[in-house]
Amino acid sequence: MTETTVGIGGAAEGTDMVLNIGPQHPSTHGVLRLRLVLDGERIREAEPVIGYMHRGAEKLFEARDYRQIIMLANRHDWLSAFSNELGVVLAVERMLGMEVPERAVWTRTLLAELNRVLNHLMFLGSYPLELGGITPVFHAFREREELQNVMEEISGGRMHYMFNRVGGLKEDLPAGWLGRARQAVADVRSRMDVYDRLVLGNEIFRGRTRGVGVLTPAAVHAYGVSGPIARACGVDFDLRRDEPYLAYGELGDVLKVVTRTDGDCLARFECLLEQTHNSLALADACLDRLTQLPPGPINQRLPKVLKAPEGTTYAWTENPLGINGYYLVSKGDKTPYRLKLRSASYNNIQALTELLPGTLVADMVAILGSLFFVVGDIDK
C-alpha cells in the first residue's frame, strides 16, 4: 500500500491520502491533532496525536507542598476545576486519616454538582455549534453566567476556584449566599427545556447524530472510557452511586445514573443533557440540607507545615467528563514523592481509533465533538 500526503489529478487515483486535522483546527477543542488516512471520503485509519499542551503537571506536583498542588491540579480540565481540586484533597485527607466537618462535606457536594452543570452546559452549547446550529451556545453561556456568578462570589474565581483545602474549604459561605444559589439553580432549571426543543427537536441535528459514531460496551471497557460517553453505551457505572464519596451516599433517592444503549452521538448528547437536569436536582437537595445544618466549622486547623505519612493511596471521583483519579505516594515529606493523575479525557479520546475508521469525513466533526473532552485533560 502506498500513501501520499497530497494527490493532484490522476496521481491521487488508487492511493490513500493522509489528512491532518489540527493541531489548530476549530473542531478539535484546542491543540489536538488527528492523523487520518482516507480512502476517498471514507476514513480508513485514525490516530490521535497528543502532547501539544503537555506541561508536566505530574512532575510539578513533586516540587510543591500539599497546599500548593491544589493550584496545579485544578487546571488540567479547565471546565471542571472544583472537581479536580476535590480529588487531590480527598487523597491527602485519606492519607492523614482526617475527618472533614459535615458542613464542608455538603458544601463540597453542592459545589461539585454546580461545577458539573457548568461543564455540561459548555458542551450542550458548543456541540450543536459544531454541527451548524449557532443559537444553543448563546443560551448555554447565559445559564453559565448565572451559575458562575454564585461560584465567583464564594471563591473569587470564575474558572479556577481554588476553594478546596485539605481538611475542608477555604472559608465559610457569605451571608445570604444559599438563597442566591438556590435562585440561580431555579432560574437555570426553568430554561433548560430549550435544549429539548431547540436541539433534540431539530431533525437536522438528529439526522447528523443518530446512528453515527457507535461505541460498543466492549470498546468502552478496552479503552477505559468513562463518564457520560460510557453510560451512553449502556455501561451503568457512576462512582457517586457505586463507590459513594462526600455526601452522595445520602442522596441515593435524588441521584439518577443516566444511561442509553445506542452508543451513538445522539445518545451521548442525551446522557449529557439528562445528567445536567439531575445535577440541578442534586444541587437543590444539597441546598436543602445546608439550610438545616447548625452553624459549625467548615475546615480543620492544620499545622504550618503539612506532611502526609509514608504510604500510598488512590482517590478517584466522578468528574463531569468521567473518572478522575490521583495515585499519591508519600515518603513522609511535605511534598508528594509521586502523584499520578488519571484523567477522563485521556482515555476517552483513545476510542477515536475505534470510532472513526469506516466513517465519512463529514461525520468526523460530529463524532469528535460528541466525546466531550478538554485537551488540557488529555495532555496534563
Side-chain angles (χ1 to χ4, degrees):
M1 183 184 73
T2 59
E3 292 185 0
T4 55
T5 303
V6 178
I8 302 173
E13 295 178 7
T15 65
D16 293 322
M17 185 173 81
V18 178
L19 178 66
N20 282 295
I21 304 293
Q24 277 85 27
H25 194 278
S27 71
T28 59
H29 297 268
V31 283
L32 172 73
R33 175 180 158 211
L34 289 178
R35 183 183 180 277
L36 307 178
V37 178
L38 306 181
D39 181 6
E41 285 293 309
R42 202 162 290 278
I43 298 170
R44 289 194 56 203
E45 297 175 26
E47 178 192 0
V49 182
I50 64 173
Y52 290 92
M53 288 187 69
H54 177 61
R55 60 195 177 91
E58 292 175 352
K59 200 65 185 171
L60 291 172
F61 287 148
E62 299 170 17
R64 306 291 190 276
D65 66 33
Y66 288 108
R67 291 180 175 91
Q68 295 169 327
I69 58 176
I70 300 170
M71 179 275 295
L72 289 171
N74 77 8
R75 280 161 166 73
H76 57 88
D77 176 359
W78 48 77
L79 295 178
S80 312
F82 186 86
S83 302
N84 299 340
E85 301 169 12
L86 193 57
V88 168
V89 296
L90 288 175
V92 179
E93 287 162 2
R94 185 178 298 170
M95 291 283 280
L96 293 167
M98 183 178 290
E99 190 79 21
V100 177
E102 189 179 13
R103 280 171 53 76
V105 171
W106 281 96
T107 306
R108 280 177 173 180
T109 311
L110 166 63
L111 297 177
E113 290 306 314
L114 292 179
N115 193 196
R116 192 181 309 275
V117 175
L118 282 167
N119 176 289
H120 290 355
L121 281 171
M122 177 62 80
F123 291 106
L124 291 173
S126 67
Y127 186 48
L129 180 65
E130 292 167 4
L131 299 180
I134 194 171
T135 311
V137 76
F138 296 122
H139 292 281
F141 271 89
R142 180 183 63 183
E143 314 313 339
R144 278 175 55 84
E145 283 299 314
E146 292 263 3
L147 297 176
Q148 276 187 311
N149 286 340
V150 295
M151 296 290 280
E152 184 179 8
E153 184 183 350
I154 57 164
S155 67
R158 288 176 60 81
M159 286 186 71
H160 304 298
Y161 305 110
M162 279 297 295
F163 199 57
N164 276 293
R165 294 291 186 272
V166 176
L169 295 168
K170 176 187 173 187
E171 57 197 9
D172 210 340
L173 304 174
W177 183 86
L178 290 176
R180 291 188 288 277
R182 189 184 295 277
Q183 186 60 51
V185 169
D187 289 345
V188 171
R189 177 184 275 161
S190 69
R191 296 190 290 259
M192 282 299 293
D193 67 314
V194 71
Y195 300 99
D196 294 300
R197 295 183 286 104
L198 191 64
V199 183
L200 288 181
N202 186 296
E203 62 183 60
I204 298 174
F205 178 84
R206 299 184 77 87
R208 290 291 307 275
T209 56
R210 188 193 287 114
V212 175
V214 177
L215 188 64
T216 64
V220 166
H221 294 304
Y223 287 94
V225 175
S226 59
I229 303 169
R231 291 191 285 273
C233 308
V235 178
D236 188 4
F237 181 71
D238 190 314
L239 285 173
R240 296 174 297 169
R241 179 199 63 194
D242 300 323
E243 195 173 309
Y245 57 98
L246 296 182
Y248 289 114
E250 300 179 46
L251 291 169
D253 55 337
V254 183
L255 175 61
K256 178 185 176 185
V257 179
V258 182
T259 60
R260 293 290 187 275
T261 55
D262 294 336
D264 56 8
C265 296
L266 181 60
R268 291 191 277 274
F269 186 86
E270 287 176 345
C271 273
L272 203 71
L273 177 56
E274 197 171 332
Q275 193 167 283
T276 307
H277 284 288
N278 187 239
S279 288
L280 291 169
L282 286 166
D284 266 338
C286 292
L287 286 164
D288 290 340
R289 183 59 186 270
L290 281 168
T291 56
Q292 297 166 5
L293 289 177
I298 201 146
N299 51 35
Q300 296 273 30
R301 291 185 65 87
L302 299 175
K304 189 173 181 180
V305 177
L306 183 64
K307 294 183 179 181
E310 191 168 340
T312 64
T313 190
Y314 180 68
W316 57 349
T317 55
E318 188 68 40
N319 267 33
L321 299 181
I323 293 173
N324 190 78
Y326 292 97
Y327 180 65
L328 172 62
V329 181
S330 171
K331 296 290 188 181
D333 299 322
K334 66 177 183 178
T335 60
Y337 177 76
R338 183 82 169 90
L339 187 58
K340 174 73 176 74
L341 167 60
R342 188 267 189 219
S343 61
S345 298
Y346 179 82
N347 286 71
N348 292 355
I349 205 69
Q350 308 305 322
L352 282 172
T353 57
E354 188 101 6
L355 277 176
L356 289 178
T359 64
L360 295 171
V361 176
D363 291 330
M364 184 272 298
V365 173
I367 296 169
L368 186 64
S370 73
L371 290 187
F372 311 130
F373 62 89
V374 171
V375 176
D377 202 35
I378 300 171
D379 290 344
K380 300 176 279 188

